[in-house]
Amino acid sequence: MGKYLLRRILQMIPVVLGTTLLVYALVFALPGDPVKAMFGDKPINQAVAAQIRAEYNLDKPFIIQYLLFLKNALTLNFGNTFAGQPVIDEIARAFPVTIKLGLMAFVFEALFGVVFGIISGLKKGKWYDAVILIVSLLLISVPTFVTGFLMQYFIGVKWHLLPVTAGNDPGFLDLLMPAMVLGSVSMAYIIRLSRSEISSNISEDYVRTARAKGMTNRSVIVRHVLRNSMIPVITYLGQDLGALMGGAMISETIFNIHGIGFLTYQSILKGESNMVVSIVTLLTLIFVVCNLVVDMLYAVLDPRIRYA
Amino acid sequence: MSDKNHQDDDMTDFAMNETSRSSVTSGTGTVLPGQERYVASLDETPLHEVDSMDESAPASNMWTDAWRTLRRNPLFIVAGVLIVFIVFVALFPGVFTHQNPNYCQLEHSLEKGGPGHPFGYDTQGCDVFTRTVYGTRTSLSVGLLTTLLVVIVGTLIGGLAGFFGGWIDAVLSRFTDIFMAIPMLLGAIVVLQMFRTSSSIWKIVLVLTLFGWTQTARIARSSVLETKNLEFNTASTALGSTPLRNLVRHILPNSVASIIVVGTTSLGSYIVSEATLSFLGIGLPSTTVSWGGDISNAQAILRTDPSVLFYPSAALAITVLAFIMMGDAVKDALDPKSRTA
Amino acid sequence: MSDVANNDIVNNADAPVLPAETEDRLSAMQREQGPILDVKDLKVDFITDDKREVHAVRDVSFNVYPGQWVAIVGESGSGKSTSAMAVLGLLPGTGHVVGGSIKLEGKEISHYSRKQYEQILGEKMGLVPQDPMSNLNPVWRISTQVKEALKANHMDISHEKRSKLAAAIAEAEGDINLKNVDDETFLGSKELPGLLEAAATALDKAGVRDGAAERAMARFKQEGVPGSETRWRVAEELIKAGVGDDEAWRIAKKYVIGSTMDDRIAGLLDEAGLPDAATRARQYPYEFSGGMLQRALIAIGLACRPDLLIADEPTSALDVTVQKKILDHLHTLTDELGTAVLFITHDLGLAAERAQHIVVMYKGQVVESGPSLEVLQHPQHPYTKRLVAAAPSLASQRIISAHERGENAEALMEHHAKGEDTLEKSEHIITVNHLTREFKLPRKKEMFKAVDDVSFSVKRGTTLAIVGESGSGKSTVANMVLKLLEPTSGTVTYEGEDISGFKGAKLLDFRRHVQPVFQNPYGSLDPMYSIYRSIEEPLRIHGIGDAKSRRKRVEELLDLVKMPRSVMQRYPNELSGGQRQRIAVARAMALDPDVIVCDEAVSALDVLVQDQVLRLLNDLQAERGLSYLFITHDLAVVRQIADEVVVMQKGRLVEHATTDEVFDHPQQQYTRDLLDAIPGGKLKLGLD
């Protein structure tokens, strides 16, 4: 297990380096001048531009730029915004609410996804299986922002069940609807994944062997069908935890939540490249770390992985 | 070793067990009731030629079988009809409306529907029906072109990694991991913010391809790895075939099925991604008619006039649904093991 | 009495010498108790995707008496496994019983609900399934999976209770007769050292010294398996070794006071023949070999001491010697436990050797049944006759008995093996010299020698068979001969030339003359290629002929392998395994090769189909003077095809001689083991 962990961490290093390099290159090296973008439609003040270039090391060769960025990033020094605020402070301000939102969405999708997936997988062909399937298909087909608007309109505006927008310092109820919107697509995927895993595992030979032992249907299902079916589902969930943070943008925009997604969106509109690259780097790191955790979890759940 | 039958006072049982074996082959054991010699009459079970070929059965192969399965699948019929209709709308929008989607008059702003304008007008006074019809082309083009490019790039990189293995595989797999680690939407936003003014759909297609090829590459890699080790490849090599010929003639054709499945399934998600980007205002500019953009514009008036948001959303949802259902149906047909229905 | 039965009884020291009438007593008892399982006119249907009914089993009747082995024999698709699963209430998918009756101990169970089946499975009926690799859940430890069986049938509770009771009694040290509760009081691992010490002292006291004492102690150590050895057995052993009755019982009562669950699990696994069971039990299925997994499955099937064990091809996936060991073990074990066995197999020889009564099934129906030897010696239904004629194990048996009676066995042989002198005169077409191949194992420093210094030569127009079990390196040799793999050292020469230097046109020419036929009929043809394209492929690669002449050639080749020409437009998925193998032979023949390397070419096929393909290969050799390198794990098949045999074990060549020599005078123990393991090899067959 220790060896496996070490191997995975070693494999992670080139991925982290490559990903940050890629993100950095996309922002600062692509055609299209980020400094020019900062000025937006205003005329460019050459002196200010030069100052900015120097501040972000844009006057140095690309690879040096990247290495300096990396060095600064390691000390969480991501530079300043146009307004002179340290980028890291802005991020630190926005992060807690996104984490809250992400975790709520995660719990929502895990709970309902797995429960409905199991119901649907065990009772294939029943009417509620069909309903669950159709709803999950719809959730996947309808873009998140449409789902978001519809929920906002009906649940918030028309029926006044939940707050329409979240605003500053939102509480649990404020975040409930955004979290459901954020988790809805993944929930649908989890339903489909659990369902197909269960229906393929239930015809495995070892399930028949378990029945031949005289075990009750309940323990056969729990110990042999569900236990094995949940391995890929948990893998999916783990990867999704990292992706949820990045995907929060839509939900945060619709419900006016001042989290990381909102910040990213605003920074893009304002052309704050430095902020964008910092956030994307951070989110990518979170994603990679989540994947590592998933791999570890996977090895715990499936003894074969440890061996291979 | 022992059990309940091994008791001194239960010698008969013990003896019984030992003899059962000796009587097996003795041939003189008394026959127990119900175990008398029985021979079925030949009329009841006509004997067939050993391993005879049923020449009357209809010919079939993977594709005809898949087609037969598809035809019986209601999911496929519904999705198929929808897709044919959507493609038709995209190709010939003029059949459905004679208006120009960009012909907007502010005086019609938010007018209710009437004859010739069934869906009414949006804030700018554009005909919602016309814009919905013309939006089909944008979404479909982005979806199809992205799928095409993703399949080409993904198959190339995944296929090479799987085929060559060794360090080439290691390098290409890490390369894939790097792109995979960047969430598609975030990556797309970072790149697109530099090209905000371009109105070409190609910028969307290229950006989605840039961050979308990894899944296809993974599938292509594992599919090639799996097929590579099948005996017909070894047989071909032993017949004098070269590795490259094997790749082109045997391995790739056998990997096509799984690539088609992933392609069809992800087509819908590219359409959603385009709409999302346009919704965020960094996709296509408003001069290009796009469902995502229209939905974004309609957001502001959601509370007063939700129907303006409804029509493009419904069109988008139906299109994506059609492709996702098609993906499910194709998956069922080509890979009976992973039936979702 | 056959040799097998005799040997086993002599070997089993515990077996009492049976007077002649015991057999009648057994029959009388069985007659009196009635069949434990009685299946009458069983009908099972499956429903296809397009809602059609398929009759998988029709009007099948058979019964099993207590303590009896009954075998159902048939090819794949004959309905034998379906019948067994119907009895267990475990029919897969859409399968369901549509008629007839299944009686277990006189009670009708065919209509039972899942709940009712849960009550009888495990306790009354156990299953040993077919494929060991897929029948254990990969994510649970072996011990957990054995424990489930015990728990499901409340064996843990009653056992624990009994242990406590026994412990209480042992404490009381009274004169109560313990025998009736002792049967399930197992030796615990904690008490084992104490018991051994006490036994040693007792022996010493009883005056048993030196050699006798050492032998007795060795025996105690071997027999004293925690969780399996019971109190009365311990007492019995002590008494047998010379300890006085009272002292023996005192020791047994003191030290055998019940075992823990873990001990019991290890005991069960040990009974099933798993070495080092206590440690092994903590491992996961992927850490086990196929044979070990099968033993774990046997332990699970017998854990709750069912009255009837259904063994569904329990050893088909294993090497022959492992198969024999496991079946011998299962046989002894079920006999000791008094368990009846319904044994499902495709191998007629195996069925006749193991079972008292056999039932032959064909296309969902019983075509013939009766006492096994009688059916085997005097098959009456044409299908049974075919089976008996085709079974390789029985065929070699017939040849031996013909020899013994001084008759000419030539007429019985499909393949007329060439004598030593003919072989000596023949020219060597392929020579393998000191061939060695090493592989690097993942995360291991030292190299693994898959093939270690192997030399032999294939003579023109003859067949050389390489026989060995999995891991013997035989297929690696085949791949090196085919130049699909380069040797680490040593050479392969074809027509006197070292093939390692072949490149370009020279290599293409070599490929043209040396062709393979591989094992897996489902993998060796590209599913995307029509039969025509498959057979045409070699012609295309070598640029032979134009479209028209190639078509003609493909037609000829189909005629050659006796397949209808109409098959050309079809695809491999429409063909049976045997048909695909015939297509693979046609493809190999397309370029008129000199040598064909058959790597387990008939191993995956049913006996009748196997026989057919072997005949085809023999005919082709006779007509065209082909040379074969025939790789197989099945020594029985060798007799039907080979002139010379090379026996391989763990990468080394163990024996190399003519076929007759190997069969009649095997030099090495390993070869003798392989010969012994041929199922049905020891049966005396009357020749019909």
Side-chain angles (χ1 to χ4, degrees), chain C residues 300-333:
Chain C
I300 289 172
L302 289 172
C304 302
R305 304 308 186 213
D307 302 309
L308 174 67
L309 186 73
I310 294 182
D312 184 7
E313 306 234 20
T315 52
S316 305
L318 308 174
D319 277 331
V320 274
T321 51
V322 181
Q323 164 172 322
K324 182 177 157 57
K325 265 188 220 147
I326 288 184
L327 282 180
D328 282 351
H329 204 94
L330 183 65
H331 217 139
T332 318
L333 196 58

Short mmCIF file of all heavy atoms in Angstrom, two decimals, chain C residues 300-333:
data_model
loop_
_atom_site.label_atom_id
_atom_site.label_comp_id
_atom_site.label_asym_id
_atom_site.label_seq_id
_atom_site.Cartn_x
_atom_site.Cartn_y
_atom_site.Cartn_z
N ILE C 300 -16.32 -24.29 0.65
CA ILE C 300 -17.56 -23.53 0.81
C ILE C 300 -18.77 -24.44 0.55
O ILE C 300 -19.74 -24.45 1.31
CB ILE C 300 -17.58 -22.32 -0.14
CG1 ILE C 300 -16.57 -21.27 0.33
CG2 ILE C 300 -18.98 -21.71 -0.23
CD1 ILE C 300 -16.37 -20.13 -0.62
N GLY C 301 -18.70 -25.23 -0.52
CA GLY C 301 -19.82 -26.10 -0.87
C GLY C 301 -20.11 -27.12 0.23
O GLY C 301 -21.26 -27.47 0.47
N LEU C 302 -19.06 -27.57 0.90
CA LEU C 302 -19.26 -28.61 1.91
C LEU C 302 -19.30 -28.07 3.34
O LEU C 302 -19.44 -28.82 4.29
CB LEU C 302 -18.14 -29.66 1.80
CG LEU C 302 -18.21 -30.57 0.57
CD1 LEU C 302 -16.95 -31.42 0.46
CD2 LEU C 302 -19.43 -31.48 0.61
N ALA C 303 -19.16 -26.74 3.47
CA ALA C 303 -19.02 -26.13 4.80
C ALA C 303 -20.15 -26.52 5.74
O ALA C 303 -19.94 -26.75 6.92
CB ALA C 303 -18.94 -24.61 4.68
N CYS C 304 -21.37 -26.56 5.22
CA CYS C 304 -22.52 -26.82 6.09
C CYS C 304 -22.97 -28.27 5.99
O CYS C 304 -24.10 -28.60 6.34
CB CYS C 304 -23.64 -25.87 5.76
SG CYS C 304 -23.10 -24.18 5.96
N ARG C 305 -22.08 -29.11 5.51
CA ARG C 305 -22.35 -30.54 5.43
C ARG C 305 -23.68 -30.85 4.76
O ARG C 305 -24.59 -31.43 5.36
CB ARG C 305 -22.36 -31.15 6.85
CG ARG C 305 -21.09 -30.92 7.63
CD ARG C 305 -19.92 -31.33 6.82
NE ARG C 305 -18.66 -31.28 7.57
CZ ARG C 305 -17.50 -30.98 6.99
NH1 ARG C 305 -17.45 -30.64 5.71
NH2 ARG C 305 -16.39 -31.01 7.68
N PRO C 306 -23.83 -30.44 3.50
CA PRO C 306 -25.08 -30.72 2.81
C PRO C 306 -25.22 -32.21 2.52
O PRO C 306 -24.22 -32.93 2.52
CB PRO C 306 -24.93 -29.94 1.50
CG PRO C 306 -23.47 -29.89 1.27
CD PRO C 306 -22.83 -29.82 2.62
N ASP C 307 -26.44 -32.65 2.33
CA ASP C 307 -26.66 -34.06 1.99
C ASP C 307 -26.39 -34.31 0.51
O ASP C 307 -26.09 -35.40 0.10
CB ASP C 307 -28.11 -34.44 2.30
CG ASP C 307 -28.44 -34.19 3.76
OD1 ASP C 307 -27.66 -34.66 4.60
OD2 ASP C 307 -29.44 -33.51 4.03
N LEU C 308 -26.55 -33.21 -0.28
CA LEU C 308 -26.34 -33.35 -1.72
C LEU C 308 -25.43 -32.23 -2.18
O LEU C 308 -25.65 -31.06 -1.88
CB LEU C 308 -27.69 -33.24 -2.46
CG LEU C 308 -27.62 -33.21 -3.98
CD1 LEU C 308 -27.14 -34.54 -4.53
CD2 LEU C 308 -28.98 -32.85 -4.58
N LEU C 309 -24.38 -32.61 -2.89
CA LEU C 309 -23.47 -31.61 -3.44
C LEU C 309 -23.61 -31.63 -4.96
O LEU C 309 -23.54 -32.69 -5.58
CB LEU C 309 -22.03 -31.93 -3.06
CG LEU C 309 -21.00 -30.88 -3.46
CD1 LEU C 309 -21.13 -29.66 -2.56
CD2 LEU C 309 -19.60 -31.43 -3.40
N ILE C 310 -23.86 -30.46 -5.54
CA ILE C 310 -23.92 -30.39 -6.99
C ILE C 310 -22.61 -29.82 -7.49
O ILE C 310 -22.25 -28.69 -7.17
CB ILE C 310 -25.14 -29.56 -7.44
CG1 ILE C 310 -26.40 -30.31 -7.03
CG2 ILE C 310 -25.09 -29.33 -8.95
CD1 ILE C 310 -27.68 -29.66 -7.43
N ALA C 311 -21.85 -30.65 -8.20
CA ALA C 311 -20.54 -30.23 -8.69
C ALA C 311 -20.64 -30.02 -10.19
O ALA C 311 -20.75 -30.96 -10.95
CB ALA C 311 -19.50 -31.29 -8.35
N ASP C 312 -20.63 -28.74 -10.60
CA ASP C 312 -20.83 -28.40 -12.01
C ASP C 312 -19.48 -28.23 -12.69
O ASP C 312 -18.87 -27.18 -12.60
CB ASP C 312 -21.65 -27.09 -12.07
CG ASP C 312 -22.01 -26.71 -13.49
OD1 ASP C 312 -21.74 -27.52 -14.40
OD2 ASP C 312 -22.55 -25.62 -13.70
N GLU C 313 -19.03 -29.25 -13.36
CA GLU C 313 -17.71 -29.25 -14.01
C GLU C 313 -16.66 -28.64 -13.09
O GLU C 313 -15.99 -27.68 -13.45
CB GLU C 313 -17.76 -28.42 -15.31
CG GLU C 313 -18.86 -28.88 -16.25
CD GLU C 313 -18.35 -29.20 -17.64
OE1 GLU C 313 -17.13 -29.43 -17.77
OE2 GLU C 313 -19.15 -29.25 -18.56
N PRO C 314 -16.49 -29.21 -11.92
CA PRO C 314 -15.68 -28.51 -10.92
C PRO C 314 -14.21 -28.41 -11.29
O PRO C 314 -13.50 -27.60 -10.74
CB PRO C 314 -15.84 -29.37 -9.66
CG PRO C 314 -16.20 -30.71 -10.17
CD PRO C 314 -16.95 -30.51 -11.44
N THR C 315 -13.75 -29.19 -12.25
CA THR C 315 -12.31 -29.18 -12.51
C THR C 315 -11.97 -28.93 -13.98
O THR C 315 -10.82 -29.05 -14.37
CB THR C 315 -11.68 -30.52 -12.10
OG1 THR C 315 -12.42 -31.58 -12.72
CG2 THR C 315 -11.72 -30.69 -10.60
N SER C 316 -12.96 -28.56 -14.78
CA SER C 316 -12.71 -28.44 -16.22
C SER C 316 -11.67 -27.39 -16.55
O SER C 316 -10.99 -27.47 -17.56
CB SER C 316 -13.99 -28.10 -16.95
OG SER C 316 -14.96 -29.04 -16.64
N ALA C 317 -11.56 -26.37 -15.69
CA ALA C 317 -10.65 -25.29 -16.02
C ALA C 317 -9.22 -25.57 -15.55
O ALA C 317 -8.36 -24.74 -15.69
CB ALA C 317 -11.16 -23.99 -15.40
N LEU C 318 -9.01 -26.73 -14.98
CA LEU C 318 -7.71 -26.98 -14.34
C LEU C 318 -6.87 -27.99 -15.12
O LEU C 318 -7.37 -28.74 -15.95
CB LEU C 318 -7.94 -27.50 -12.92
CG LEU C 318 -8.87 -26.64 -12.06
CD1 LEU C 318 -9.14 -27.34 -10.74
CD2 LEU C 318 -8.27 -25.28 -11.83
N ASP C 319 -5.58 -27.99 -14.80
CA ASP C 319 -4.67 -28.96 -15.39
C ASP C 319 -5.07 -30.37 -14.98
O ASP C 319 -5.59 -30.57 -13.88
CB ASP C 319 -3.24 -28.69 -14.90
CG ASP C 319 -2.57 -27.61 -15.72
OD1 ASP C 319 -2.92 -27.47 -16.90
OD2 ASP C 319 -1.70 -26.91 -15.18
N VAL C 320 -4.75 -31.35 -15.83
CA VAL C 320 -5.20 -32.72 -15.56
C VAL C 320 -4.73 -33.29 -14.23
O VAL C 320 -5.49 -33.92 -13.52
CB VAL C 320 -4.83 -33.71 -16.68
CG1 VAL C 320 -5.87 -33.71 -17.75
CG2 VAL C 320 -3.45 -33.45 -17.22
N THR C 321 -3.46 -33.04 -13.90
CA THR C 321 -2.97 -33.64 -12.66
C THR C 321 -3.65 -32.99 -11.46
O THR C 321 -3.98 -33.65 -10.49
CB THR C 321 -1.44 -33.52 -12.53
OG1 THR C 321 -1.08 -32.17 -12.76
CG2 THR C 321 -0.73 -34.39 -13.52
N VAL C 322 -3.88 -31.66 -11.56
CA VAL C 322 -4.58 -30.96 -10.48
C VAL C 322 -6.02 -31.47 -10.41
O VAL C 322 -6.57 -31.71 -9.34
CB VAL C 322 -4.56 -29.44 -10.74
CG1 VAL C 322 -5.27 -28.71 -9.60
CG2 VAL C 322 -3.15 -28.94 -10.89
N GLN C 323 -6.61 -31.64 -11.58
CA GLN C 323 -7.97 -32.15 -11.66
C GLN C 323 -8.11 -33.48 -10.93
O GLN C 323 -9.01 -33.69 -10.13
CB GLN C 323 -8.34 -32.31 -13.14
CG GLN C 323 -9.56 -33.18 -13.39
CD GLN C 323 -9.98 -33.13 -14.86
OE1 GLN C 323 -9.91 -32.10 -15.49
NE2 GLN C 323 -10.40 -34.24 -15.38
N LYS C 324 -7.16 -34.36 -11.21
CA LYS C 324 -7.23 -35.68 -10.59
C LYS C 324 -7.10 -35.57 -9.08
O LYS C 324 -7.87 -36.16 -8.32
CB LYS C 324 -6.12 -36.58 -11.15
CG LYS C 324 -6.15 -37.99 -10.57
CD LYS C 324 -5.09 -38.84 -11.20
CE LYS C 324 -4.69 -40.01 -10.32
NZ LYS C 324 -5.80 -40.87 -9.96
N LYS C 325 -6.12 -34.77 -8.63
CA LYS C 325 -5.91 -34.62 -7.20
C LYS C 325 -7.17 -34.09 -6.52
O LYS C 325 -7.59 -34.58 -5.48
CB LYS C 325 -4.77 -33.63 -6.94
CG LYS C 325 -3.43 -34.31 -6.75
CD LYS C 325 -2.40 -33.27 -6.31
CE LYS C 325 -1.08 -33.52 -7.01
NZ LYS C 325 -0.33 -32.31 -7.29
N ILE C 326 -7.76 -33.06 -7.12
CA ILE C 326 -8.93 -32.44 -6.50
C ILE C 326 -10.11 -33.39 -6.48
O ILE C 326 -10.82 -33.52 -5.48
CB ILE C 326 -9.26 -31.12 -7.21
CG1 ILE C 326 -8.20 -30.08 -6.87
CG2 ILE C 326 -10.64 -30.61 -6.81
CD1 ILE C 326 -8.44 -28.72 -7.40
N LEU C 327 -10.32 -34.11 -7.58
CA LEU C 327 -11.45 -35.03 -7.61
C LEU C 327 -11.25 -36.19 -6.64
O LEU C 327 -12.19 -36.61 -5.97
CB LEU C 327 -11.67 -35.55 -9.03
CG LEU C 327 -12.38 -34.57 -9.97
CD1 LEU C 327 -12.54 -35.19 -11.34
CD2 LEU C 327 -13.73 -34.14 -9.42
N ASP C 328 -10.00 -36.69 -6.57
CA ASP C 328 -9.73 -37.76 -5.60
C ASP C 328 -10.09 -37.28 -4.20
O ASP C 328 -10.72 -37.98 -3.42
CB ASP C 328 -8.24 -38.14 -5.64
CG ASP C 328 -7.93 -39.03 -6.83
OD1 ASP C 328 -8.90 -39.47 -7.50
OD2 ASP C 328 -6.74 -39.27 -7.11
N HIS C 329 -9.66 -36.06 -3.95
CA HIS C 329 -9.88 -35.50 -2.63
C HIS C 329 -11.37 -35.32 -2.35
O HIS C 329 -11.86 -35.66 -1.29
CB HIS C 329 -9.17 -34.15 -2.57
CG HIS C 329 -8.85 -33.76 -1.18
ND1 HIS C 329 -7.65 -34.04 -0.59
CD2 HIS C 329 -9.59 -33.14 -0.24
CE1 HIS C 329 -7.66 -33.61 0.64
NE2 HIS C 329 -8.83 -33.05 0.88
N LEU C 330 -12.06 -34.78 -3.34
CA LEU C 330 -13.50 -34.56 -3.19
C LEU C 330 -14.21 -35.88 -2.95
O LEU C 330 -15.13 -35.99 -2.14
CB LEU C 330 -14.04 -33.86 -4.45
CG LEU C 330 -15.51 -33.48 -4.42
CD1 LEU C 330 -15.76 -32.43 -3.36
CD2 LEU C 330 -15.95 -32.95 -5.78
N HIS C 331 -13.74 -36.89 -3.67
CA HIS C 331 -14.37 -38.19 -3.55
C HIS C 331 -14.22 -38.76 -2.14
O HIS C 331 -15.18 -39.19 -1.51
CB HIS C 331 -13.75 -39.16 -4.56
CG HIS C 331 -14.76 -40.09 -5.14
ND1 HIS C 331 -14.78 -40.44 -6.45
CD2 HIS C 331 -15.80 -40.73 -4.56
CE1 HIS C 331 -15.79 -41.26 -6.66
NE2 HIS C 331 -16.43 -41.44 -5.53
N THR C 332 -12.99 -38.73 -1.64
CA THR C 332 -12.73 -39.22 -0.29
C THR C 332 -13.57 -38.44 0.71
O THR C 332 -14.22 -39.01 1.60
CB THR C 332 -11.24 -39.03 0.07
OG1 THR C 332 -10.47 -39.40 -1.06
CG2 THR C 332 -10.87 -39.88 1.25
N LEU C 333 -13.57 -37.10 0.53
CA LEU C 333 -14.25 -36.24 1.47
C LEU C 333 -15.75 -36.50 1.49
O LEU C 333 -16.37 -36.66 2.54
CB LEU C 333 -13.97 -34.78 1.08
CG LEU C 333 -14.26 -33.71 2.11
CD1 LEU C 333 -13.45 -33.98 3.38
CD2 LEU C 333 -13.88 -32.34 1.55
#
